[in-house]
Amino acid sequence: MNKFLRSIFLVDLFQGLWVTFRNQNPKYIYTEQYPGERPKVAERYRGAPRLNINPDNGETLCIACNLCALACPETLIVVGSERNEQTRRKDLTTFTYDLSRCMFCGLCEDACPVDALELTQDFELAAYTRDGAIWDRQMLEEGPRPTRYKF
Amino acid sequence: MPETTFLDSTELVLNMGPQHPSTHGVLRVILKLDGEKVMGTECVIGYLHRGVEKIGENRTYLQFAPYVDRMDYVAAVSNGLGYCLAVEKLLNIEAPPRAQVTRVILTELNRVASHLLWLGTHALDIGAITPVFYTFREREEVLKIFENYCGARLTTHAFRIGGLQYELYDGFEEQVKAFCDMFLPKVDEYEELLTNNRIWVNRLKGVGILNADECKEFGVTGPVLRAAGVSWDLRKAQPYSGYEQYDFEIPTAQNGDTYDRYGVRMREMRQSVRIIRQAVDKIPAGPIGKTPKVIKPPVGEAYVSIEAPKGELGYFIVSDNSTQPYRVRVRPPSFINLQALDRMVRGGLVADVVAIIGTIDIVLGEVDR
């Protein structure tokens, strides 16, 4: 009898409706207003790569050891270097990073012995051309310049 | 032989997918219909085939780890755990206790995230739109923990062979505990929305029955098997990564229909929270493990299977004493559970096909690999 009354008065449906009603409070809004309000990504976020430079003298930290290129599963890093006869070390000449094939696994970052290559918190990586996704040394050192929208 | 008219029933062949939204990806099901009744099905898979097993033969052991995340991308952490355990078995090493407890916490969080995504999309298939918004809201909290821990939300690459890459961040315990406290009332909320709802019950009860014997014949594992009354969970049956230390139950049900599978998964989420709470309280201090510099396992083979959110996830790796695996074979739970689709669907209605595909909880990235 009780079950019959419950089904007549649609108790099960109103129970669900009550849950929906409870969640109507505007303090439960979770939507992010993305271009207007930039989401705060985590400190360890693996986004756009960057080649760090020494802030004191502006020279690159990279020692052209090629470990990142060997660690990369997709072999998308190409490191160019030439031997400097004065210091007897390898100097970095070119560095290309093909973002179109990158899966942001972070293995290159782990392999780097001097913390020169780093995956940063930038996440806006769209480009108009395929070539635009291949970053050269200059681009990697400057980092991306994301568009700021005003609302 | 009487003349056939248009009223006579003949078999109608209907393609469902690969772009059908409720096939959860790119599954194509060829339905043979007699009116509304399904006489048989045939699954066409392979639209998402990337050759992950072949890729594994051309990468070093360390380099292959990010690829396994991309099979079951809803439960990437579980995939990573299975692969790391398999290579560790080949190398005959073990992760230190701190790494093991962290692994358990993250995989259980991932189980919750996977079940939440399943619940939302399954309810959406049946026609209940509300739960998907709520489940994604809670899933977001899990993904935030992953993002804070390892820097990625979905394809996490959280574990490395021999332990972990990242130390726990400040406030990890608090965030996980806060999630557990917040989450359990939310599960009650989903149950309020669905469990007694007459549409939900009528659509699911007695639909897609797969009894225990059939489950065993098909090799079906995971919640589908447990809903048929078989209390089989690899976390209890062959504990890995220190699961024997935790106190939890294996939820089972009797009927093996879609409604029972829903109930089993809901209770599994609660058990996961129980495991997480126990694990967070006793994270031991110590090293988090170090990846060996050169990974060159001795000649041999290893099979390790873990309880992924969808069932038994196994990795079979053959080593020929080089830096690359000779062969990697993955036993994905979704692929094997999908075989039972035909048995469950046969004799049902077209609308039930959608409910049954949803209830097996397949991820096409894992079916096709």
Side-chain angles (χ1 to χ4, degrees):
Chain A
M1 188 64 196
N2 191 13
K3 199 182 166 190
F4 176 71
L5 280 178
R6 286 172 78 90
S7 90
I8 286 284
F9 288 107
L10 306 172
V11 173
D12 51 329
L13 295 182
F14 282 114
Q15 203 183 6
L17 276 176
W18 175 235
V19 174
T20 323
F21 186 74
R22 278 207 311 259
N23 281 279
Q24 296 300 309
N25 192 329
K27 77 177 179 194
Y28 297 130
I29 291 177
Y30 276 73
T31 316
E32 284 175 353
Q33 300 297 328
Y34 162 54
E37 173 195 323
R38 278 179 80 78
K40 212 175 163 307
V41 295
E43 207 176 309
R44 295 176 180 175
Y45 189 78
R46 300 197 299 254
R50 183 177 63 202
L51 257 186
N52 288 329
I53 51 174
N54 189 338
D56 297 333
N57 53 14
E59 280 174 16
T60 182
L61 286 175
C62 179
I63 54 170
C65 64
N66 209 29
L67 280 177
C68 50
L70 292 173
C72 182
E74 288 287 335
T75 56
L76 53 84
I77 302 173
V78 179
V79 183
S81 63
E82 67 180 9
R83 194 177 157 83
N84 188 334
E85 288 301 331
Q86 287 172 339
T87 55
R88 297 190 160 195
R89 281 199 200 143
K90 280 203 272 184
D91 278 356
L92 182 71
T93 50
T94 56
F95 195 104
T96 56
Y97 194 107
D98 187 352
L99 266 179
S100 62
R101 278 150 59 202
C102 182
M103 54 182 173
F104 303 100
C105 61
L107 283 172
C108 52
E109 190 184 31
D110 299 346
C112 188
V114 290
D115 292 338
L117 186 62
E118 197 183 334
L119 295 181
T120 61
Q121 294 172 318
D122 293 308
F123 51 85
E124 288 165 334
L125 304 169
Y128 282 105
T129 54
R130 285 192 179 219
D131 291 344
I134 301 171
W135 289 16
D136 56 7
R137 183 179 166 185
Q138 190 200 354
M139 183 110 178
L140 285 164
E141 284 176 351
E142 282 173 7
R145 278 157 292 183
T147 324
R148 305 282 166 187
Y149 298 92
K150 286 197 183 117
F151 284 91
Chain B
M1 190 89 184
E3 251 177 70
T4 53
T5 69
F6 69 96
L7 285 173
D8 287 334
S9 66
T10 48
E11 206 176 65
L12 175 73
V13 177
L14 185 71
N15 267 309
M16 184 174 161
Q19 272 93 13
H20 196 283
S22 66
T23 54
H24 295 253
V26 281
L27 171 70
R28 175 170 161 219
V29 186
I30 301 171
L31 301 169
K32 295 185 181 68
L33 302 175
D34 178 13
E36 272 282 290
K37 221 169 141 200
V38 180
M39 308 306 285
T41 60
E42 199 180 311
C43 284
V44 182
I45 60 170
Y47 290 96
L48 206 58
H49 180 68
R50 293 150 296 176
V52 170
E53 290 174 4
K54 190 68 191 170
I55 289 173
E57 295 168 20
N58 299 306
R59 300 285 186 276
T60 63
Y61 286 94
L62 198 59
Q63 282 178 344
F64 185 54
Y67 290 91
V68 297
D69 287 353
R70 281 150 181 85
M71 283 189 289
D72 183 359
Y73 40 80
V74 180
V77 178
S78 297
N79 278 270
L81 176 66
Y83 176 70
C84 287
L85 286 175
V87 180
E88 280 164 17
K89 191 177 174 189
L90 266 180
L91 287 166
N92 205 10
I93 55 172
E94 206 175 41
R98 185 177 171 83
Q100 288 194 355
V101 175
T102 312
R103 283 176 172 186
V104 166
I105 296 171
L106 290 173
T107 39
E108 289 305 317
L109 281 172
N110 205 175
R111 186 184 312 275
V112 169
S114 170
H115 281 355
L116 281 177
L117 190 127
W118 162 82
L119 177 66
T121 50
H122 183 45
L124 204 59
D125 290 345
I126 305 293
I129 292 184
T130 317
V132 74
F133 301 122
Y134 297 167
T135 56
F136 269 63
R137 185 183 63 194
E138 271 74 74
R139 183 169 171 263
E140 183 68 26
E141 299 300 319
V142 182
L143 297 187
K144 271 182 190 156
I145 294 174
F146 289 160
E147 188 184 328
N148 283 331
Y149 172 68
C150 60
R153 289 155 55 85
L154 203 66
T155 48
T156 48
H157 195 204
F159 309 139
R160 299 291 195 278
I161 295 152
L164 307 170
Q165 172 67 27
Y166 307 102
E167 184 55 79
L168 295 178
Y169 60 92
D170 294 337
F172 174 79
E173 284 96 338
E174 288 75 35
Q175 203 178 357
V176 172
K177 276 179 189 162
F179 170 76
C180 292
D181 294 339
M182 179 276 290
F183 182 63
L184 281 183
K186 302 286 182 189
V187 183
D188 297 335
E189 218 166 66
Y190 310 145
E191 296 236 31
E192 261 178 72
L193 277 173
L194 296 172
T195 306
N196 293 323
N197 186 297
R198 61 186 66 191
I199 305 169
W200 184 256
V201 173
N202 287 341
R203 283 293 302 276
L204 298 192
K205 270 235 163 103
V207 167
I209 293 174
L210 198 70
N211 62 36
D213 291 335
E214 286 169 334
C215 281
K216 285 173 191 165
E217 277 170 28
F218 281 108
V220 165
T221 47
V224 184
L225 177 68
R226 290 194 280 275
V230 184
S231 174
W232 175 256
D233 189 319
L234 288 171
R235 289 174 293 174
K236 285 264 193 214
Q238 17 177 301
Y240 52 90
S241 200
Y243 263 109
E244 64 276 4
Q245 308 164 31
Y246 307 107
D247 174 40
F248 64 100
E249 288 159 17
I250 310 173
T252 52
Q254 290 312 314
N255 302 327
D257 60 0
T258 308
Y259 189 77
D260 277 2
R261 289 190 274 271
Y262 156 74
V264 164
R265 285 198 179 95
M266 296 304 270
R267 277 181 282 153
E268 243 173 52
M269 285 199 270
R270 292 205 174 90
Q271 295 299 327
S272 287
V273 170
R274 201 169 144 193
I275 297 173
I276 294 167
R277 279 195 169 141
Q278 292 170 37
V280 162
D281 283 335
K282 55 172 184 187
I283 302 178
I288 53 167
K290 210 163 180 295
T291 315
K293 273 256 156 65
V294 181
I295 300 177
K296 251 187 169 181
V299 178
E301 51 191 49
Y303 177 77
V304 169
S305 56
I306 65 161
E307 185 72 29
K310 293 165 181 71
E312 179 186 340
L313 172 72
Y315 282 89
F316 178 68
I317 302 176
V318 183
S319 164
D320 59 350
N321 195 20
S322 68
T323 55
Q324 296 174 345
Y326 179 75
R327 174 86 170 94
V328 182
R329 160 75 188 155
V330 188
R331 183 224 188 266
S334 305
F335 175 61
I336 290 169
N337 291 1
L338 183 63
Q339 292 179 96
L341 178 73
D342 184 61
R343 178 72 62 90
M344 288 149 96
V345 161
R346 203 163 279 213
L349 302 176
V350 181
D352 293 341
V353 179
V354 171
I356 291 166
I357 293 174
T359 192
I360 315 174
D361 192 12
I362 48 166
V363 165
L364 266 294
E366 194 180 38
V367 173
D368 295 340
R369 300 193 295 293

